[in-house]
Each structure stands twice: as C-alpha cells, then as structure tokens.
Amino acid sequence: MKILLCPLSDGGYLYPAIAAGRELRRRGHDVSVLGRSTAATVAADAGLPFAAAEDFGGRQAFSARWWGPTGAAQYRATVRAAREAGADLLVTSVLCNGALLAAETLDIPVVVVGLSAHLWDYRAGGDDEPHLGRTRQSRTHDCLRIHTDLREQTGLAGRASRWGDEPLLGDVLLLRGDPELEYPGAQLPERVRHVGPLSWEPTPDPAEVEAIGDHLSRSGKPVVYVHLGRFFEGRSLWPRLNEAFTGGRFQAVVEQGRSTDPRPAPGADILLVRKRWMQPLVDRAGLVLSSGTSAPVLAALLRGRPLALSPNGSEQTLLTGACLRAGVAVHFPNSPSVEASALLEAAWRDDGLRARAHVLGSRLAAMDSAARAADIVERVAGASAVPPAGAAAAFPAEASTAPSAEASVSSKENHEYAISRPR
C-alpha cells in the first residue's frame, strides 16, 4: 500500500505522523511525506522519502500558523502530490481541511492524527464541563465553517461529504492521549480512537546535548524545562518567567521555537535554545512549564514529570483543564497575584503530583501507540470506511472516557480554575 503523510509541518503535528509512518514502513508499506521544504531534514532523519509542497503549488500550505487561509493551496498540493505518488491512503493531522477534501476528490481513505485530547463536540455527555476559554460548541462551529468555506473554494460544495455531519474526523481520528484526559462521562464520536502519544523526534546531536548539560551543571540549580506554544491572546509570559528564574532556586531551559519575542532578563537563570527535539531536555528537568500544547505535555508525562501550565488560547486551555482534572499539573497564572517561584517550589515538592504524572505517563508509554495507529490505518485501508463502534474485528477496544477516582482532582479544585473567557 502507498501511503502519503501530509500533516502540518510543525513538529507537534509532523512528528506523530512520522511515528505512525515509520511503523507502517516497517510493515512493508510504501510511505512518503509531503510538507513544507523546511521539513525535508526531519523526513530524512526519519528515513522517509519527502516531497516539498512548494513544488506542487502549496507554499505555506502546511503551516500551523496559516492552517485556515491556505486550505485551498493545501488541497491542490495534496491532490497533485498524491496522484504523482499513486497514494492509496492519506495520513494527515487535525486542521488539515485541504488534505481531507483531497481524499474526497481522490476517493481514497484518510486517517487524521489528533492531539492529546478531543477538540470538538462529544457525541454525548460533558454538558457540565467547565470551559477555560472557548466552548467546544464554539470551536466546533468555527472549524466546520472553515471546512465548509473551503468546500466552496475547491468546487466541492455541491457534493455531500462522505463523513456526514462530522467531516473533520476523516475516516478515523486518532487521539494521542489517554481516556483520562477526556471529560468524565463524556462519549467520543464513533470514529475517534485513542492510540497513545505517537512519540518520535529527530535524533539529537550529542555535542549539542553535552554543551547544554555543561551549561546547566555550572549553575547546579534544579532545571525546569519551558516549552511555550503559539501565542493567541493576553500578556506575554516573559515577565513571569524572569520573575521565576531570577535570584531563585531554579534555572530554566526555554525552547524559543514558538516564542516569537523572547525577553530573558540580564540576570535571569534562563538558557534559550532552539531545537527540533526535547527529550534530553525533559530528562534533565524535574518539572515542565508549558502553555499546554500536546507535544510538551506528552513529553513530560512520558518521563513522569509534573506540569505547570499557563494556557492562552485554542487547544491549550482544553488540555490544561484535562491535566488539572487528572491531577498531573498545576495552574501557572500569568498574573503577579501568585508568586511564580513559590508556585514552582510547591509543584516541585508535591509528591502526589509527581506520582500521578508517573502513573499516567507509564500508561501512555505502555500503549504501543505506533502499532495501534498502524493497525487502524491498515484496517481503514481494507474497509475504506470505519465500522460501527464496538465491531471487534475492526478496531482495538476503546477504553472508557471516564477517569479513575484516584487520579481525579476534587470538583472544588476544578471549579476554582473554571474561569470563563468567551469570545
């Protein structure tokens, strides 16, 4: 089978697709990657053939920053590249409306690799879920509107979607988290499956890892790894970072790839890095501070590291709420009302927080996610449609979405952070 990976080219979307693609290649399938030219070195590191979207008229078409406006270019590039490759199936990521519509035009199945938690409406339940920003209904409505607009732009408006009223899921959507990260009692749509973290990243340069280690050793202070996601709204987190890491007990390694305007204070114990990998840095750290995007959250949990989360929009608020419910994270408010260094100290010393992160991370690590994803891809290719939920011959059994009582935080703690910021 010929499979074209066509996710967004940002690492948080590209790397999980590559994890699944490498397993599919190991099973004998012909797997290649379509993406921005900047992703060529990543594909080469993974040992997968690469095609640049720019060569197929897809400039900026696979950028997370431009996922909405460049949908038509993504559609054209995917159709052209898939035809040239003779693709039998597409593997894409959430927000790739162009790739979804390309699969319709080509009449081939498409598997969507999702985030750590479900972004859109549940099939049932979850009506009392606290909203730390936009509601699921609002997010779903806007994403469907963008998808519908793109159908019109690509000439598919008069053609009924083969996925009915859930076109964003493709033939199946793979969640990289754990059922515990979904709201208790809520039911996922039938075409959604948990597969686990799909963890992969480019090979770190040993010399770079050693140089960072030497720098951190000179200070001798405990290390916090800081990985910020896209900035959507509100104030910059940099004043809080400078407060937390100036003259205190901790030092920070800050990944600046998504931090568009890093502002470390002259006396702050902050090391700025820009790397395609994070595993050695998380291994060195005892705590991970993030805005709440999937990649750093999963990297922290897989190594049993607790989280301090400061979301500012989109997926970040949803995943932060899930981690708070699971008791694996504390909220790191972007406000001077809570002393930053004291909050980090409390999180660092919270043995219960660390133990719950270890338990959830161990469960994620044991899922053999690449094999799960590859199994589903092969079954979707064989059926060209997802059978009803519960069909044992079609998909691995899905666990309940309700979290265990032991891992849940109290309802009081949940509602203390259930701040509403509607748009």
Side-chain angles (χ1 to χ4, degrees):
M1 177 169 57
K2 293 184 177 180
I3 300 169
L4 180 65
L5 308 182
C6 48
L8 296 173
S9 294
D10 302 70
Y13 300 90
L14 175 62
Y15 297 176
I18 284 179
R22 283 165 57 88
E23 172 62 18
L24 289 161
R25 186 192 61 174
R26 189 191 67 78
R27 298 183 181 195
H29 299 293
D30 184 348
V31 181
S32 58
V33 180
L34 172 68
R36 298 201 315 271
S37 56
T38 53
T41 56
V42 174
D45 190 270
L48 298 175
F50 179 80
E54 291 89 341
D55 294 340
F56 296 92
R59 180 175 173 270
Q60 294 185 326
F62 292 91
S63 168
R65 182 179 180 183
W66 303 104
W67 70 271
T70 60
Q74 183 184 103
Y75 167 79
R76 291 190 296 269
T78 305
V79 168
R80 293 167 183 170
R83 283 175 172 160
E84 182 171 298
D88 302 302
L89 179 144
L90 304 181
V91 175
T92 189
S93 54
V94 289
L95 308 182
C96 281
N97 289 303
L100 288 171
L101 295 181
E104 284 198 43
T105 294
L106 298 166
D107 196 23
I108 59 177
V110 56
V111 173
V112 181
V113 179
L115 304 171
S116 299
H118 188 55
L119 275 178
W120 301 304
D121 287 341
Y122 286 123
R123 178 159 50 109
D127 297 334
D128 58 343
E129 179 182 17
H131 301 294
L132 313 183
R134 303 185 67 183
T135 65
R136 287 183 182 273
Q137 184 179 27
S138 171
R139 187 182 296 109
T140 303
H141 177 270
D142 282 357
C143 288
L144 286 173
R145 175 184 53 78
I146 293 171
H147 183 85
T148 299
D149 289 347
L150 185 58
R151 292 187 73 87
E152 294 182 359
Q153 294 178 45
T154 54
L156 296 175
R159 174 176 171 178
S161 169
R162 74 168 185 245
W163 303 300
D165 60 355
E166 293 179 331
L168 305 175
L169 308 180
D171 288 283
V172 65
L173 183 142
L174 309 180
L175 288 179
R176 289 150 47 206
D178 181 270
E180 190 173 344
L181 296 178
E182 302 304 329
Y183 193 68
Q187 297 177 28
L188 291 166
E190 291 185 357
R191 300 200 311 276
V192 177
R193 293 293 184 274
H194 283 102
V195 297
L198 289 174
S199 180
W200 179 88
E201 63 183 18
T203 306
D205 183 333
E208 293 181 355
V209 175
E210 183 179 3
I212 292 172
D214 289 344
H215 176 94
L216 298 175
S217 295
R218 286 195 290 273
S219 164
K221 292 183 177 182
V223 177
V224 176
Y225 177 62
V226 181
H227 190 112
L228 305 179
R230 282 188 65 199
F231 188 79
F232 293 94
E233 57 189 27
R235 301 183 302 274
S236 168
L237 195 62
W238 273 99
R240 294 286 279 163
L241 296 182
N242 287 326
E243 174 194 344
F245 300 109
T246 301
R249 192 168 86 87
F250 300 103
Q251 61 179 322
V253 179
V254 180
E255 170 56 52
Q256 60 174 320
R258 303 296 289 276
S259 182
T260 55
D261 186 20
R263 303 177 193 173
D269 290 313
I270 292 176
L271 174 64
L272 286 175
V273 298
R274 186 184 291 272
K275 305 298 179 187
R276 293 181 180 269
W277 38 263
M278 69 178 84
Q279 176 180 336
L281 305 178
V282 175
D283 288 341
R284 184 67 183 252
L287 179 72
V288 172
L289 195 164
S290 169
S291 51
T293 53
S294 289
V297 166
L298 288 171
L301 293 175
L302 285 170
R303 289 155 187 83
R305 304 304 193 262
L307 291 145
L309 299 178
S310 184
N312 63 59
S314 190
E315 170 209 8
Q316 301 170 15
T317 54
L318 187 151
L319 187 52
T320 293
C323 289
L324 293 175
R325 288 195 305 269
V328 299
V330 298
H331 179 219
F332 187 87
N334 190 5
S335 166
S337 61
V338 179
E339 184 183 351
S341 57
L343 191 152
L344 294 180
E345 181 72 34
W348 188 283
R349 294 183 179 278
D350 189 333
D351 292 336
L353 192 73
R354 196 172 298 276
R356 289 187 293 271
H358 177 76
V359 169
L360 179 52
S362 297
R363 195 159 67 238
L364 286 166
M367 291 181 78
D368 196 2
S369 57
R372 284 193 180 204
D375 287 345
I376 292 173
V377 168
E378 290 178 332
R379 287 164 183 167
V380 166
S384 294
V386 176
F395 292 102
E398 182 70 4
S400 168
T401 59
S404 63
E406 292 81 5
S408 298
V409 294
S410 70
S411 59
K412 178 178 182 293
E413 289 173 310
N414 287 342
H415 289 288
E416 282 177 352
Y417 185 53
I419 54 176
S420 176
R421 297 188 306 187
R423 294 186 184 180

